[in-house]
Amino acid sequence: MKNLFNYLMLLGVMLFAVACSNDDETPNGGNARINFYLVDAPGDFDEVWIEVLAIRVKADDDSMDDDSQGNDDDDGNESDWIEIPYDEASPYVNLMDLTGENSLFIGSEDFPEGEIDQLRLVLGDDNYVVKDGVRSDLKTPSAQQSGLKIKVDEDIQGGMSYNLVIDFDVAKSIVVAGNSGNINLKPVLRAYMEEAASGVMGQVFPAEAQPVAVNAQKGDDEYNTFVDDNGNFKMLGMDDGVYTITFTPNDGYQILVVENVVVEEGVVLTLDPITLLPIEE
């Protein structure tokens, strides 16, 4: 009998723990829970460090009438924005770590059913790059004080959880300023809901070909990433259409171009494994 009692007590504790865990993952009331992540489309640097302070979110509530929501070109009042601090012990993030399928969790928040209208990524002043072992400070724009604005315009439903991804395009965001030698940070950012995102993913061999840059292009639309240590890559938030994808490895291997890659709305296409060939001497 004592053993049965102990078993029931243990079972009760386990069920309580599961219930608490599920409650933590469930939006409160009729709200939608948004989890915010940061990923990177990297550039030609060894390290790119940014000081992440917070993200700020402007959401439109379906319970509000059209007149109270304003229009898409208006940032609204500051009271319309919800700030989500990045609460890690260190605010410094190396964007070059966020390649392949890696991402950084920034925070989460519950919002009323409606629409996520805009985001602002708020950075500190201490941002820098490292190339060939040399650190260079990044001159950052004054807009970072209120946050770097990103249009989102994504609908959210009550009772659902979403992953909203901010893609920081390093190659386009870091600009060398003429003869001054200054390196400016002019962030090029986009955002998308992971659950509904279109894109391409796959794996590149061999490991000896790394680093391997991956570029997808369709007219003026261009997306970039690198493979991770295991050769995996993923590009999401792409517009649908027909793309040319270029794989650029190190100097010992040949560039490979794959044409007529069709990306469909709401579908993540998995390519057949890519094998890069060495350059014959």
Side-chain angles (χ1 to χ4, degrees):
M1 180 65 69
K2 181 177 180 181
N3 289 338
L4 177 60
F5 177 77
N6 290 338
Y7 172 78
L8 292 174
M9 287 291 293
L10 177 60
L11 180 61
V13 171
M14 293 174 63
L15 290 174
F16 178 77
V18 170
C20 290
S21 176
N22 288 340
D23 285 345
D24 288 342
E25 298 298 326
T26 303
N28 295 321
N31 292 335
R33 175 156 300 177
I34 313 296
N35 305 305
F36 296 92
Y37 292 87
L38 182 67
V39 298
D40 169 34
D44 187 21
F45 300 95
D46 301 326
E47 302 171 18
V48 179
W49 291 90
I50 60 172
E51 186 183 9
V52 179
L53 302 182
I55 56 173
R56 307 184 72 223
V57 186
K58 182 176 182 292
D60 291 332
D61 186 345
D62 273 352
S63 65
M64 300 167 60
D65 58 39
D66 292 338
D67 292 337
S68 64
Q69 290 184 27
N71 59 63
D72 289 340
D73 297 325
D74 187 1
D75 284 352
N77 298 322
E78 286 301 311
S79 60
D80 295 336
W81 293 81
I82 296 175
E83 183 164 310
I84 305 169
Y86 180 56
D87 282 335
E88 294 300 313
S90 171
Y92 296 99
V93 176
N94 181 11
L95 291 174
M96 301 303 287
D97 290 337
L98 306 181
T99 57
E101 298 191 60
N102 299 321
S103 61
L104 175 75
F105 176 67
I106 299 177
S108 64
E109 186 66 45
D110 290 352
F111 296 88
E113 181 171 306
E115 181 185 71
I116 300 297
D117 182 18
Q118 301 175 40
L119 298 178
R120 290 176 181 170
L121 178 64
V122 184
L123 303 181
D125 296 321
D126 191 13
N127 307 292
Y128 62 93
V129 298
V130 176
K131 185 170 184 178
D132 299 327
V134 178
R135 168 176 168 156
S136 300
D137 291 335
L138 291 170
K139 306 296 182 182
T140 50
S142 58
Q144 73 187 20
Q145 302 301 323
S146 60
L148 305 160
K149 188 170 71 172
I150 315 165
K151 288 295 291 181
V152 181
D153 295 333
E154 290 280 1
D155 293 331
I156 55 174
Q157 296 181 5
M160 300 291 291
S161 292
Y162 300 87
N163 294 329
L164 201 160
V165 180
I166 301 170
D167 191 336
F168 198 119
D169 193 329
V170 167
K172 296 179 180 179
S173 300
I174 299 177
V175 180
V176 178
N179 297 326
S180 68
N182 291 335
I183 304 180
N184 296 328
L185 178 63
K186 297 182 177 180
V188 176
L189 307 168
R190 61 192 182 95
Y192 55 87
M193 289 293 193
E194 187 177 44
E195 291 77 8
S198 309
V200 176
M201 64 183 295
Q203 192 170 22
V204 180
F205 300 98
E208 290 75 16
Q210 296 187 25
V212 179
V214 186
N215 169 270
Q217 191 150 13
K218 179 198 69 169
D220 293 333
D221 293 334
E222 183 177 2
Y223 304 89
N224 299 282
T225 190
F226 274 72
V227 304
D228 64 15
D229 291 341
N230 296 316
N232 297 309
F233 71 92
K234 181 186 286 186
M235 291 183 288
L236 297 180
M238 298 171 66
D239 291 335
D240 59 316
V242 180
Y243 287 83
T244 296
I245 301 183
T246 303
F247 299 88
T248 306
N250 62 40
D251 293 339
Y253 284 77
Q254 301 177 34
I255 294 173
L256 176 65
V257 178
V258 180
E259 298 182 339
N260 298 319
V261 176
V262 179
V263 175
E264 299 178 1
E265 184 176 355
V267 176
V268 179
L269 174 67
T270 300
L271 297 181
D272 292 334
I274 302 294
T275 300
L276 301 176
L277 300 177
I279 295 175
E280 298 180 0
E281 296 182 357

